[in-house]
Each structure stands twice: as structure tokens, then as C-alpha cells.
Amino acid sequence: METRLARREDLLGLLKLYRYLHPDGWLEEGPQALQVWEEIWKTPGYRIVVGEEGGELVSSCTVVIVPNLTHGGRPYALVENVVTRPDCRNRGFATACLNVARDLAREAGCYKIMLLTGSKRESTLAFYRKAGYRSDVKTGFYQAL
């Protein structure tokens, strides 16, 4: 297994992975996906971490470093789109991706890293707790747009 930052040529592999994350909300390969992909590459602080095995992407997460005027000007990080191919789960891929995201946040001087999940499954919540995320410190709110 190799964990690394996504490269431009990883778009198709990521789109394939995201089908497991959001079966009804992923983009097809095509002009819209390419347009979004180019925007991602232009956005400072936006990184996608991937786990690869045998030349295929099997896990990923996104980390975004956000500039901030509080906490002495230290930025914060957001983690999103955590996904692992179902046949590769429980093998450490997602943990490795989250560890890289945490390291990127630390290197950027972030004072915190946040992660939201829509999952209510105890196994998923336990996974995030084991990865160092706490659900007892702050309250998260969500508003669909």
C-alpha cells in the first residue's frame, strides 16, 4: 500500500471511489468533472490524499487548509470525502489517509482539524474515534443547500 497526494491523472480513479461514498451524488467522467477537477487544482490548501494498491486507488480523503484570523492567525483544517473501496476496508487504508491529512494540517500550523460524517453506524463512529477524532468537545451543525 502506498499513501500519497492525488495527482492530476487520478481523476477517474477518484470518481470510481466516490461512487461508494455517494451512490446518487457522484459525477460522471466528462466536462463537468473536468471543470471541478481544475477548480480543485487552483484552490490553495485543497489536497486529496489517496491510498493505492496494485496501481488502483482504494481509499481517499480530502483535506482543506483554511486561513483564519482567530487563534493567532493559525489556520484550521477540514476533512471530507473519506472513502475506502468495500473490499479493501479494515486493512488500514483510510487510517493511513487520515494520518497524512493530519500531518498536512500540522505542517500548515493548523490549530484544529474537523471532520463531519453523515454515518450513524457505530462501527464508523468508532473508526473516527480510534483515528483521534472526538465527538464530545464541540457540536456540529449541518444545513443542506
Side-chain angles (χ1 to χ4, degrees), residues 98-140:
L98 289 175
N99 288 343
V100 171
R102 182 198 58 228
D103 293 345
L104 290 168
R106 281 186 178 148
E107 289 168 14
C110 293
Y111 77 95
K112 71 178 176 183
I113 187 168
M114 296 181 288
L115 179 149
L116 290 175
T117 181
S119 178
K120 304 292 185 226
R121 288 187 309 227
E122 186 51 42
S123 61
T124 302
L125 302 178
F127 163 74
Y128 288 127
R129 286 184 195 107
K130 186 176 178 185
Y133 292 87
R134 294 182 57 185
S135 60
D136 63 335
V137 178
K138 294 203 175 219
T139 302

Side-chain angles (χ1 to χ4, degrees), residues 21-136:
L21 185 61
H22 297 291
D24 298 323
W26 53 274
L27 288 174
E28 290 275 358
E29 176 186 354
Q32 184 180 5
L34 288 172
Q35 180 182 357
V36 172
W37 192 233
E38 287 306 315
E39 286 300 313
I40 287 169
W41 283 98
K42 292 178 194 174
T43 304
Y46 195 120
R47 301 290 180 269
I48 299 174
V49 180
V50 297
E52 183 178 45
E53 182 175 68
E56 287 192 42
L57 301 186
V58 298
S59 190
S60 181
C61 74
T62 298
V63 60
V64 180
I65 309 298
V66 182
N68 182 34
L69 289 172
T70 65
H71 290 270
R74 292 177 66 195
Y76 58 89
L78 302 171
V79 171
E80 267 289 334
N81 299 331
V82 180
V83 62
T84 300
R85 203 171 71 191
D87 63 317
C88 293
R89 291 183 181 153
N90 299 310
R91 294 178 45 203
F93 290 109
T95 299
C97 288
L98 289 175
N99 288 343
V100 171
R102 182 198 58 228
D103 293 345
L104 290 168
R106 281 186 178 148
E107 289 168 14
C110 293
Y111 77 95
K112 71 178 176 183
I113 187 168
M114 296 181 288
L115 179 149
L116 290 175
T117 181
S119 178
K120 304 292 185 226
R121 288 187 309 227
E122 186 51 42
S123 61
T124 302
L125 302 178
F127 163 74
Y128 288 127
R129 286 184 195 107
K130 186 176 178 185
Y133 292 87
R134 294 182 57 185
S135 60
D136 63 335

